[in-house]
């Protein structure tokens, strides 16, 4: 699982090996130089990886059952972003994301072509789509109106 992977990364980072092999590159590719350096330093330490593992395990223990039990979100504004570049579980994730969008009658499911899970926030062109999705949901919530189309690329 991802939580186990995070725990392994935390262990490996304790010995400084992540700094040598630069395993973080896929997570932070596309960030501006200063932010890249900051994230590289952060990911080289075990605390972030351990916190990520703990959060995933807590989600599994405390939240997953509650979320899976929700039959509908009503008309709650929702945007679900999917990516085209998945290294693992692509078919399953795409199916689950499509299902998630059906929970609200006021939703949009948008596939961001060329993006990965990580580049949605680390590369400016994809992060702009994420920011637009947040603005669209916020505007719909404030106006009690429909979620508008997103601006892609």
């Amino acid at each position: 699982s991802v939580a186990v992977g995070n725990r392994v990364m935390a262990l490996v980072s304790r010995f400084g090996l992540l700094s040598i092999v630069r395993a973080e590159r896929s997570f932070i590719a596309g960030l501006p130089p200063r932010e890249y350096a900051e994230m590289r330093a952060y990911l080289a330490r075990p605390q972030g990886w351990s916190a990520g593992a703990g959060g995933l395990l807590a989600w599994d223990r405390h939240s997953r059952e509650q979320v899976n039990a929700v039959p509908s979100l009503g008309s709650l504004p929702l945007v679900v972003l999917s990516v085209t570049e998945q290294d693992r579980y692509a078919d399953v994730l795409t199916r689950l994301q499509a299902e998630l969008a059906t929970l609200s009658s006021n939703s949009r499911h948008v596939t961001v072509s060329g993006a990965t899970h990580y580049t949605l926030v680390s590369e400016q062109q994809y992060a702009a789509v994420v920011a637009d999705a947040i603005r669209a949901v916020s505007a719909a919530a404030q106006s009690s109106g429909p979620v508008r189309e997103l601006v892609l690329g």
Side-chain angles (χ1 to χ4, degrees):
S1 76
V2 176
V4 171
N6 280 9
R7 285 191 165 165
V8 169
M9 294 295 268
L11 179 65
V12 169
S13 68
R14 289 186 197 286
F15 300 103
L17 297 176
L18 293 183
S19 299
I20 296 168
V21 298
R22 299 189 64 167
E24 81 288 340
R25 276 187 271 188
S26 65
F27 301 121
I28 59 177
L31 287 175
R34 178 179 171 197
E35 288 80 2
Y36 185 95
E38 290 169 350
M39 283 302 298
R40 184 164 186 246
Y42 173 77
L43 293 171
R45 302 183 62 205
Q47 292 87 348
W49 296 105
S50 294
L56 290 167
L57 293 170
W59 154 261
D60 201 41
R61 279 193 300 267
H62 304 292
S63 301
R64 180 184 300 274
E65 188 176 316
Q66 293 174 3
V67 170
N68 288 341
V70 173
S72 170
L73 297 175
S75 63
L76 190 70
L78 173 67
V79 172
V80 177
L81 297 177
S82 294
V83 299
T84 57
E85 307 306 311
Q86 290 280 3
D87 54 352
R88 290 184 284 180
Y89 315 115
D91 295 338
V92 172
L93 290 172
T94 300
R95 180 180 50 78
L96 290 172
Q97 290 160 345
E99 286 179 24
L100 179 61
T102 66
L103 290 177
S104 172
S105 61
N106 187 14
S107 68
R108 298 226 180 248
H109 181 202
V110 177
T111 300
V112 184
S113 183
T116 69
H117 176 77
Y118 305 110
T119 61
L120 279 177
V121 295
S122 68
E123 291 193 19
Q124 188 173 10
Q125 68 188 32
Y126 305 131
V129 176
V130 174
D132 193 45
I134 293 167
R135 286 190 293 270
V137 168
S138 177
Q142 290 173 3
S143 70
S144 297
V147 175
R148 64 169 171 73
E149 296 258 350
L150 298 186
V151 177
L152 299 174

